[in-house]
Amino acid sequence: MENCRAMWRVLLELLEYLRQERKWWLIPIVVLLVALGSLLIFGSSSGLGWAIYPFM
């Protein structure tokens, strides 16, 4: 549970940094990387593995 809170804290700090430094162009990149990472994590342990692995 503590790891999850730490991960959210890091994500919120990153978004706060992007807002303060006016680096709005980085937000789509961060969203894409988070989506890809979650797809890899959840896809490897679910029924989606057969659909994901041929493209890797």
Side-chain angles (χ1 to χ4, degrees), residues 23-34:
K23 298 198 183 282
W24 299 111
W25 58 273
L26 283 175
I27 292 177
I29 296 171
V30 170
V31 169
L32 182 68
L33 289 175
V34 168

Side-chain angles (χ1 to χ4, degrees), residues 12-24:
L12 289 175
E13 286 181 18
L14 175 66
L15 290 174
E16 182 67 24
Y17 167 76
L18 294 176
R19 188 178 69 81
Q20 284 179 353
E21 298 296 321
R22 309 267 178 173
K23 298 198 183 282
W24 299 111

Side-chain angles (χ1 to χ4, degrees), residues 2-17:
E2 185 63 32
N3 287 338
C4 186
R5 287 183 185 159
M7 183 180 63
W8 282 111
R9 192 175 328 134
V10 169
L11 183 62
L12 289 175
E13 286 181 18
L14 175 66
L15 290 174
E16 182 67 24
Y17 167 76

